[in-house]
Amino acid sequence: NEITVPKGNKYEECQEDDDFVKEFENMMKADEGMGSAKATDLNVPMNAKKAIDPDTKEDGKVVFALVTRKGNKTDVKALHVDQDSRLAQGLEAAERERTKK
Amino acid sequence: KEDEEEYDENIDSIQAKDLPEHACSYCGLHDPMYVVKCQLTKKWFCNGRGTTSGSHIINHLVRAKCKEVSLHKGGQLGDTVLECFSCGCRNIFLLGYIPAKGDSVVVLLCRTPCAAQAKKEKDKWDATEWAPIIQDRAFLSWIVKVPSDGEQSRARQISAQQMNKLEELWKDQPDATVDDILRGNVAVDDVQSVSLRYQDAYQYQNIFGPLILREADYDKKTKESQTQNAITNVRWDTALNKRKVAYMNLPKTDSEMRLMCGDEVRLRLPAENWESTGHVVKVPDNFGDEIGLELRANVPHGILETSRGFSLEFIWKSTSFDRMQAALKAFAVDESSVSGYLYHKLLGNDIEEQNLKIPSLPRRFSAPGLPDLNHSQAYAVKTVLQKPLSLIQGPPGTGKTVTSATLVYHLVKSTEMGQVLVCAPSNIAVDQLTEKIHKTGLKVVRLCAKSRENVDSSVGALSLHNQVKNLNEQRELRKLCELKSEMGELAPNDEKRYRSLRRQAEKDLLLNADVICTTCVGAGDPRLAKFRFRAVLVDESTQATEPECMVPIVLGAKQVILVGDHCQLGPVVMCKKAGNAGLCQSLFERLVILGIRPIRLQVQYRMHPALSQFPSSVFYEGSLQNGVNPADRSASGFNWPVPDKPMFFYKCHGQEEIASSGTSYLNRAEAAVVEKITTRLLKAGVKPEQIGIITPYEGQRSYLVQFMQFNGPLHTKLYQDVEVASVDAFQGREKDYIILSCVRANEHQGIGFLNEPRRLNVALTRARYGVIIVGNPKALSRHSMWNNLLTYFKDNHTLVEGPLNDLRESAIQFVKPRTDKN
Ligand SMILES: [Zn+2]
Ligand SMILES: [Zn+2]
Ligand SMILES: [Zn+2]
């Protein structure tokens, strides 16, 4: 796929965009803290990650397993995360620590 | 019914696909990987940010105060629901992800209270690692992919300001688009003018769509207003295919809406409640003013005995306009319609120049079967092969067709572009190019409109419908075909089988062709709908409107070559409003203004050097060089007033008259002079086919034809074979001798068609051996362009009068030109 980008196709500063940014920060800060905040146990079945086929790993990426709820069961989806992302770095660091011990 | 399938288009096949439901409501991008649905408004948005501070989905959620989304099944995470694993909260502004400690398991948790809770299970969860799923005001790329810069530049461009307006508009009109905002300032009755550059293909479509609509409406109204009632003198005959043909006379008209062979009509006899559709098989020509209509249905005996009381309607077909609209839509909605480079270039965006990679340039640029190329032609071919977008300007007689055909040859042999699509706005131009390309030995298929399958053409053998008939392997198809022409029609089952076999045979022939030739509008034929053409050449592209030129381009073009001459006639636009808004500007011209320099073919091989002088200096800045000597274009037998200048302007002070129909002009005195000149040429041994008579008025054309055949001293057949037509009919062609009858002789009114410089250029550059103009200098000289021409003739001692065997210079003085009005 060719990447043909017109010159000058960059960010355009304007009042409307500034307003959006401000409003965005507000929405990020809002505390929902609603009734659904039951402190349930985080019972995440760790072996769920076995459902991910390691061979599907894409180049330059690390595979993680996103565990979600689907009705009464749990579901797993493969996450292909960049090697230099926080997640991947964190995992790498943890593995280094573990091998040290 | 049977014939409806033959002559009507399958509407579905013309409509370009619409944007899918999940296309981004801001920008139109629609790959399922990139889009997300807002649960509140049910609109989809993409994760690209364009020129703003956040991705489109975030921009929308913030403006509309929505907080929940759902993913597309076809996206990276499939049908995963974005919600907190613990409490089920779906507010994406609160959601984040957290990895299990030292493990590759990840869950989604809301910031409060659940992430805080996870802190308490320190050994299992690394709570410090919680991060929101929105980073940098867009979804993380592993949740919703981010479209590349290239892909975003191909989508509809929208500013933060426009997003605000759109969100406001959506409160009342949930289906509004950015186009509605942009169009907001234009009054309903007005059309927006074309631009030089366009932001995106949606804007392009928004400007050209309404213009095409206007033109289509005008075309339709004009055609329908030509209904003729109470026709008398209808006579009947039977054609070779056993169908009945009705002949009749219609009033002469100069409108560009002239009847053409293949046009659809409906003939009715209201008194008997009878009607039948059919098509035109004869137009007013050298064999008489009658038109002939071949009718589809069987004509009852009683009708055949009738000669009066008929009504004739012209059936307007929206096909060509539908195809143009579909092309505009495809350009906007289908990213595969053109390459990224062409997309931006056609819109007038500023991008890096690109060259195409060719496996190897041919060593010799001339093609087998065609004349050797001269220097500028070879240069053109060499340069164009390597560029994705090129313009070639071919002034009259410079070998445009040979150059184009050679170019096509090399495109097939030396590049990896696959099949080449070759188009032109007119059938004649397509036929000429087809003929030349065929000479190189390539496999060519000429695709014709179904309505023109029975029209004679010089390349009939290469037409798809004829090649199908001659396929050796198709015994069954051939038998059915023969049966059909013998019987007039087939039994329903046979007809079905015939069509199915024919469709398959056509498809095979098209797939195996090296080159497919058709008109621009013909490129939108359903039989080509599933084809992709990476290399496209459009000849006479200056005679096509932009949307017309786009039809062949949006079939997947990566390399486009436009050949034309903006100093010759442009496209025919009948609706003045649409024309004035810019529909009359060809794509070729706009690209020239945008700075793409056309490669010019410099050497003309058609005209005697004396004939090229005026057009070269007035229309081509003197750049036209002569590739022929006076000796190559000197014929004996005609006593030119100045021996080495085979041209003159004959002063004729006759009256212009309104032709009997009331809508055209004629000039008897000029007609008499034209006849004498024609006779002189014929007597000198010139053959009728070598002579062309140009006159802009239908009234004069008809009068001239009759006058010559009636009053000319020589055999009628000789005069019948001399072509008499308008300038437009001669564009792209040449004759040995051209006689131009100007007709207008009124000093106080305008001179109509003749005042268009490009038309004069074409009229003056058709002839190889000699040009004779017959006209009224007093009337013409009031217009500056004609004043120049008359002065040129005068200065060259070729403005003459008197008996033909004793021409003498005219002493006439002209008036100064007034400021030009039409
Ligand atoms: Zn919403
Ligand atoms: Zn978008
Ligand atoms: Zn929660």
Side-chain angles (χ1 to χ4, degrees):
Chain A
N1 250 334
E2 350 114 44
I3 301 176
T4 311
V5 188
K7 304 175 194 167
N9 209 42
K10 299 178 292 249
Y11 164 67
E12 271 169 30
E13 193 174 339
C14 64
Q15 182 62 50
E16 290 81 1
D17 191 70
D18 289 342
D19 292 341
F20 154 71
V21 171
K22 218 183 288 180
E23 195 48 42
F24 171 79
E25 325 260 72
N26 286 340
M27 287 179 86
M28 288 296 277
K29 282 192 217 135
D31 271 352
E32 285 298 289
M34 296 206 297
S36 52
K38 256 186 254 156
T40 51
D41 248 345
L42 262 187
N43 262 333
V44 179
M46 290 304 182
N47 54 8
K49 70 172 186 267
K50 295 207 184 101
I52 303 292
D53 182 2
D55 290 334
T56 60
K57 184 174 104 70
E58 294 166 16
D59 278 335
K61 303 228 191 226
V62 181
V63 182
F64 278 77
L66 177 68
V67 180
T68 56
R69 284 198 212 278
K70 213 172 187 170
N72 287 331
K73 310 194 206 112
T74 52
D75 188 34
V76 192
K77 288 280 189 327
L79 294 181
H80 300 275
V81 206
D82 281 332
Q83 257 168 358
D84 51 2
S85 66
R86 274 185 73 186
L87 265 181
Q89 300 285 340
L91 185 63
E92 212 179 301
E95 306 229 295
R96 266 184 272 130
E97 250 197 64
R98 208 191 358 222
T99 55
K100 263 199 240 161
K101 287 187 185 144
Chain B
K1 277 188 70 217
E2 173 206 302
D3 284 307
E4 268 162 32
E5 206 211 290
E6 285 216 56
Y7 286 84
D8 279 337
E9 290 273 327
N10 182 354
I11 293 298
D12 291 334
S13 62
I14 305 182
Q15 312 285 23
K17 54 176 202 213
D18 274 309
L19 278 178
E21 210 194 315
H22 60 262
C24 176
S25 302
Y26 281 164
C27 76
L29 276 176
H30 53 260
D31 188 323
M33 290 282 189
Y34 301 148
V35 296
V36 131
K37 181 160 93 169
C38 164
Q39 281 296 90
L40 191 61
T41 56
K42 306 298 181 205
K43 286 185 189 289
W44 294 82
F45 296 87
C46 75
N47 206 23
R49 61 183 69 226
T51 54
T52 66
S53 293
S55 70
H56 286 171
I57 178 67
I58 306 297
N59 265 292
H60 164 73
L61 295 171
V62 167
R63 282 175 169 77
K65 305 264 178 289
C66 315
K67 294 171 190 166
E68 280 181 38
V69 300
S70 63
L71 302 174
H72 194 290
K73 269 196 310 249
Q76 304 182 95
L77 296 183
D79 56 1
T80 306
V81 176
L82 294 180
E83 62 180 6
C84 174
F85 187 88
S86 184
C87 72
C89 167
R90 293 182 181 186
N91 180 340
I92 55 119
F93 293 95
L94 280 185
L95 281 178
Y97 66 96
I98 190 167
K101 224 178 178 140
D103 209 330
S104 62
V105 167
V106 170
V107 290
L108 299 178
L109 290 182
C110 64
R111 181 165 46 81
T112 66
C114 304
Q117 279 295 107
K119 272 199 190 128
K120 299 186 183 149
E121 301 182 41
K122 257 190 256 194
D123 48 342
K124 263 171 91 183
W125 299 101
D126 193 350
T128 57
E129 289 301 312
W130 182 94
I133 57 171
I134 301 178
Q135 296 279 325
D136 206 7
R137 295 177 222 101
F139 276 110
L140 287 169
S141 63
W142 49 261
I143 297 189
V144 184
K145 263 194 164 167
V146 180
S148 71
D149 285 345
E151 286 166 308
Q152 288 189 56
S153 76
R154 274 300 287 271
R156 184 190 266 126
Q157 306 300 299
I158 180 171
S159 67
Q161 199 182 43
Q162 286 167 335
M163 287 176 191
N164 282 5
K165 287 211 182 107
L166 199 51
E167 293 283 345
E168 192 57 44
L169 212 55
W170 277 341
K171 290 182 184 155
D172 294 317
Q173 300 172 46
D175 291 325
T177 64
V178 180
D179 316 327
D180 297 315
I181 301 176
L182 295 175
R183 222 183 289 142
N185 296 325
V186 182
V188 174
D189 191 46
D190 250 330
V191 277
Q192 264 186 299
S193 288
V194 301
S195 294
L196 191 53
R197 290 167 221 277
Y198 297 88
Q199 235 187 337
D200 52 49
Y202 291 93
Q203 198 196 2
Y204 186 84
Q205 181 190 16
N206 268 304
I207 302 277
F208 280 105
L211 291 179
I212 292 294
L213 205 58
R214 276 304 178 101
E215 177 70 1
D217 278 344
Y218 190 90
D219 194 50
K220 179 169 196 226
K221 284 199 183 72
T222 311
K223 197 134 215 181
E224 289 172 352
S225 74
Q226 291 188 322
T227 298
Q228 298 291 331
N229 290 314
I231 301 174
T232 57
N233 298 323
V234 173
R235 66 176 183 88
W236 292 91
D237 204 343
T238 309
L240 287 171
N241 60 9
K242 307 228 174 8
R243 290 191 175 167
K244 294 289 181 239
V245 184
Y247 291 96
M248 65 203 74
N249 273 293
L250 296 183
K252 303 176 194 34
T253 169
D254 287 320
S255 95
E256 275 135 343
M257 286 244 66
R258 254 173 274 204
L259 228 52
M260 289 209 296
C261 288
D263 282 356
E264 279 281 290
V265 293
R266 181 179 293 114
L267 187 65
R268 302 193 299 126
L269 188 61
E272 304 291 319
N273 220 0
W274 173 86
E275 68 173 53
S276 170
T277 56
H279 62 276
V280 177
V281 292
K282 184 196 172 294
V283 292
D285 56 20
N286 284 10
F287 300 92
D289 282 344
E290 276 181 331
I291 65 160
L293 313 170
E294 185 183 289
L295 298 170
R296 215 153 280 144
N298 276 328
V299 184
H301 193 69
I303 308 289
L304 293 174
E305 304 271 288
T306 318
S307 70
R308 46 199 357 250
F310 286 93
S311 279
L312 179 60
E313 287 163 23
F314 299 94
I315 299 177
W316 182 76
K317 296 244 138 194
S318 63
T319 312
S320 51
F321 299 105
D322 290 339
R323 290 181 181 175
M324 288 186 231
Q325 297 285 16
L328 293 175
K329 190 193 242 185
F331 185 43
V333 160
D334 181 359
E335 320 79 58
S336 70
S337 60
V338 301
S339 70
Y341 179 83
L342 281 179
Y343 177 87
H344 290 294
K345 256 327 216 218
L346 291 170
L347 291 179
N349 289 337
D350 186 17
I351 49 171
E352 297 285 331
E353 288 304 309
Q354 267 183 26
N355 275 346
L356 293 172
K357 283 201 208 72
I358 311 189
S360 63
L361 273 178
R363 251 181 285 140
R364 280 190 71 248
F365 287 108
S366 301
L370 294 177
D372 281 344
L373 298 181
N374 67 26
H375 185 76
S376 60
Q377 293 167 336
Y379 174 78
V381 172
K382 176 172 170 215
T383 313
V384 163
L385 279 176
Q386 304 174 73
K387 298 212 306 199
L389 179 61
S390 331
L391 307 178
I392 299 179
Q393 183 184 5
T398 53
K400 245 184 335 92
T401 313
V402 165
T403 309
S404 298
T406 306
L407 195 41
V408 170
Y409 176 81
H410 290 300
L411 282 169
V412 173
K413 295 289 185 188
S414 300
T415 70
E416 282 160 355
M417 289 292 187
Q419 295 178 300
V420 179
L421 179 62
V422 172
C423 296
S426 75
N427 278 294
I428 295 189
V430 177
D431 286 346
Q432 283 180 344
L433 210 33
T434 303
E435 217 178 327
K436 290 258 172 349
I437 296 172
H438 175 65
K439 289 201 170 121
T440 66
L442 291 176
K443 266 191 288 194
V444 187
V445 168
R446 165 67 163 112
L447 181 63
C448 291
K450 284 218 190 289
S451 62
R452 291 188 54 100
E453 282 182 3
N454 294 319
V455 176
D456 271 334
S457 124
S458 55
V459 289
L462 295 170
S463 299
L464 181 63
H465 59 281
N466 287 330
Q467 285 198 41
V468 162
K469 290 191 189 136
N470 296 328
L471 282 174
N472 281 324
E473 324 84 65
Q474 296 277 0
R475 293 240 304 272
E476 188 185 352
L477 178 56
R478 255 191 311 164
K479 274 212 318 232
L480 285 170
C481 205
E482 282 163 11
L483 193 61
K484 185 165 189 173
S485 41
E486 254 178 73
M487 309 292 298
E489 58 182 29
L490 294 172
N493 273 344
D494 283 343
E495 179 70 28
K496 212 169 158 199
R497 177 83 183 134
Y498 166 69
R499 288 198 189 173
S500 159
L501 284 174
R502 187 183 63 183
R503 217 176 304 144
Q504 188 56 44
E506 284 182 342
K507 191 167 161 204
D508 290 338
L509 274 167
L510 286 170
L511 282 171
N512 283 314
D514 293 320
V515 181
I516 297 179
C517 299
T518 184
T519 55
C520 291
V521 169
D525 191 300
R527 289 169 285 183
L528 294 180
K530 300 221 171 55
F531 280 72
R532 294 269 106 175
F533 295 99
R534 285 183 267 171
V536 178
L537 182 142
V538 183
D539 193 8
E540 305 279 25
S541 64
T542 40
Q543 284 190 282
T545 59
E546 272 212 48
E548 191 179 358
C549 201
M550 288 299 272
V551 178
I553 293 178
V554 299
L555 291 174
K558 276 184 128 112
Q559 184 171 25
V560 167
I561 301 140
L562 301 182
V563 184
D565 184 3
H566 47 293
C567 301
Q568 295 186 59
L569 290 173
V572 173
V573 175
M574 278 175 292
C575 171
K576 263 216 165 72
K577 207 157 199 175
N580 290 339
L583 188 60
C584 54
Q585 178 186 68
S586 62
L587 176 60
F588 186 105
E589 287 176 280
R590 182 167 66 89
L591 293 176
V592 170
I593 301 173
L594 279 171
I596 299 183
R597 258 194 293 151
I599 300 167
R600 228 191 225 180
L601 301 178
Q602 307 251 347
V603 185
Q604 71 87 15
Y605 297 92
R606 173 182 299 156
M607 304 170 261
H608 182 296
L611 301 178
S612 68
Q613 215 187 353
F614 183 85
S616 175
S617 83
V618 171
F619 303 108
Y620 298 102
E621 296 115 21
S623 70
L624 221 47
Q625 295 162 31
N626 293 309
V628 288
N629 293 320
D632 300 321
R633 292 286 182 267
S634 286
S636 58
F638 199 97
N639 283 330
W640 301 99
V642 177
D644 61 345
K645 293 201 199 294
M647 63 192 210
F648 62 88
F649 189 111
Y650 187 92
K651 173 192 123 194
C652 179
H653 274 171
Q655 304 275 38
E656 70 179 38
E657 288 172 45
I658 308 271
S660 58
S661 60
T663 55
S664 185
Y665 294 94
L666 63 97
N667 188 315
R668 291 175 209 267
E670 281 188 19
V673 172
V674 170
E675 179 271 301
K676 287 202 174 61
I677 295 171
T678 306
T679 302
R680 199 156 246 271
L681 284 168
L682 291 170
K683 277 192 178 154
V686 177
K687 296 209 263 305
E689 314 81 71
Q690 291 174 264
I691 305 173
I693 299 174
I694 299 182
T695 185
Y697 295 95
E698 174 59 22
Q700 181 73 336
R701 184 207 65 79
S702 169
Y703 180 76
L704 248 171
V705 162
Q706 280 173 19
F707 183 90
M708 289 200 299
Q709 292 180 24
F710 237 53
N711 296 59
L714 304 175
H715 199 286
T716 307
K717 174 104 173 57
L718 284 176
Y719 297 106
Q720 259 181 358
D721 288 343
V722 174
E723 189 173 346
V724 185
S726 64
V727 178
D728 302 51
F730 277 107
Q731 170 141 344
R733 299 193 297 134
E734 59 184 27
K735 288 282 182 185
D736 284 353
Y737 296 91
I738 289 284
I739 306 168
L740 170 60
S741 171
C742 301
V743 182
R744 299 313 293 273
N746 191 315
E747 289 171 53
H748 306 291
Q749 289 179 14
I751 54 171
F753 304 109
L754 292 175
N755 211 23
E756 157 69 83
R758 296 185 293 181
R759 193 164 270 119
L760 180 62
N761 182 17
V762 174
L764 295 176
T765 55
R766 300 301 96 201
R768 302 164 80 226
Y769 285 79
V771 169
I772 298 151
I773 308 182
V774 181
N776 185 322
K778 274 210 206 135
L780 296 171
S781 62
R782 303 199 128 249
H783 304 267
S784 65
M785 186 179 69
W786 281 92
N787 199 292
N788 282 343
L789 183 65
L790 285 162
T791 306
Y792 174 79
F793 273 94
K794 198 163 178 22
D795 292 345
N796 280 280
H797 311 287
T798 50
L799 176 54
V800 296
E801 60 185 57
L804 279 187
N805 54 9
D806 186 24
L807 292 170
R808 52 179 191 276
E809 264 195 81
S810 174
I812 185 172
Q813 298 291 331
F814 342 115
V815 280
K816 261 214 191 76
R818 56 180 183 187
T819 47
D820 265 314
K821 280 182 281 189
N822 221 337

